[in-house]
Amino acid sequence: MRTLAVLLLSILTALPAPLYAESGVPLPPPTFDVPFDDIDPAVAQAELNGHITTFLQRLQNHWGSSLGAIRDQVTGDIERDEREALVVAGYFADHGVLEGYDFREGSLIAGQYLLLQRPVNGLNEFIDYYHALKTSLTEQYGQPSEDRTVWTNDLYQPLPDYWGIAVQMGHLRYAASWHTPDGIVTVELTGNHHSRLMIEYRSAASLDAPRNT
């Protein structure tokens, strides 16, 4: 799985520089009514949840399938097509999307869906996506087995309107996971000068497999 994560991140880091970076320049007042390409935020959240539900269902329905079989199921631009990894690129609301599929001995064992924030349509846009997705997964799988909100720098903690900036700067991250009959679903919101929303589904077979280092 680490190999797949490295492939995805190597593609992400090739994208343009972020809008926000850590500096001493005072931040402008946050804006809450910026449209997501004229899409209501609630509609965008529901649409993203639908995309991710389709991704998770594809994995669940095709555990053990070959790379060729998965390639026939996906849409988008093939970025990597290797013996143990398939990476497909696309877009959602102008944000970059990468779907990664991990194989062991020719059989699908895990997958990752990464959404990279480009452009910034709202300071807390990705936090709202995370919470909407977490709610959807909780409705499907029950209460998460792990649920974490971690501050590594509390500069923006008193300012909820700027928590999205804290995520982008790596000061704040969210993570939750669910055990399912087929494996483990994990959702994480992290940042390194931009926000990354990652959903990973690891099959029971992958949990028994040694992870690459």
Side-chain angles (χ1 to χ4, degrees), residues 29-41 119-123 125:
T31 302
F32 304 101
D33 59 351
V34 177
F36 298 167
D37 291 332
D38 297 325
I39 300 175
D40 181 89
V120 178
N121 293 322
L123 296 186
E125 177 188 8

Side-chain angles (χ1 to χ4, degrees), residues 19-32:
L19 175 62
Y20 289 103
E22 189 169 4
S23 70
V25 179
L27 292 169
T31 302
F32 304 101

Side-chain angles (χ1 to χ4, degrees), residues 19-206:
L19 175 62
Y20 289 103
E22 189 169 4
S23 70
V25 179
L27 292 169
T31 302
F32 304 101
D33 59 351
V34 177
F36 298 167
D37 291 332
D38 297 325
I39 300 175
D40 181 89
V43 173
Q45 292 162 22
E47 183 178 345
L48 179 61
N49 283 355
H51 289 184
I52 293 171
T53 296
T54 298
F55 172 74
L56 295 176
Q57 289 176 344
R58 178 182 299 123
L59 290 167
Q60 186 169 319
N61 293 338
H62 292 87
W63 292 133
S65 295
S66 68
L67 188 149
I70 299 302
R71 188 193 301 115
D72 292 340
Q73 294 286 324
V74 300
T75 59
D77 298 325
I78 304 294
E79 294 290 334
R80 297 289 177 91
D81 188 346
E82 301 176 354
R83 184 171 63 89
E84 295 186 348
L86 175 68
V87 178
V88 183
Y91 293 92
F92 171 78
D94 291 333
H95 301 305
V97 172
L98 291 175
E99 293 182 17
Y101 299 87
D102 192 32
F103 300 83
R104 184 183 65 176
E105 297 179 354
S107 298
L108 178 67
I109 60 169
Q112 291 181 340
Y113 184 109
L114 270 70
L115 181 66
L116 179 68
Q117 189 173 31
R118 307 274 197 222
V120 178
N121 293 322
L123 296 186
N124 287 347
E125 177 188 8
F126 268 41
I127 292 178
D128 293 339
Y129 284 153
Y130 173 86
H131 286 306
L133 179 58
K134 179 182 166 185
T135 296
S136 176
L137 292 172
T138 298
E139 292 172 352
Q140 182 173 358
Y141 299 118
Q143 291 301 314
S145 55
E146 292 187 70
D147 188 0
R148 302 184 302 278
T149 301
V150 179
W151 287 89
T152 58
N153 184 320
D154 62 2
L155 176 65
Y156 292 101
Q157 192 167 6
L159 304 169
D161 294 340
Y162 288 106
W163 283 3
I165 297 297
V167 170
Q168 291 179 43
M169 295 170 66
H171 295 177
L172 170 63
R173 66 182 181 90
Y174 297 86
S177 60
W178 293 259
H179 286 80
T180 79
D182 297 310
I184 295 179
V185 175
T186 301
V187 56
E188 293 183 345
L189 177 60
T190 59
N192 181 10
H193 298 301
H194 48 253
S195 297
R196 294 172 179 162
L197 181 63
M198 186 275 290
I199 299 87
E200 179 181 67
Y201 198 174
R202 300 182 61 205
S203 69
S206 77

Side-chain angles (χ1 to χ4, degrees), residues 1-23:
M1 282 301 299
R2 187 174 298 275
T3 300
L4 177 60
V6 169
L7 285 174
L8 293 173
L9 291 175
S10 67
I11 297 171
L12 287 173
T13 54
L15 295 176
L19 175 62
Y20 289 103
E22 189 169 4
S23 70

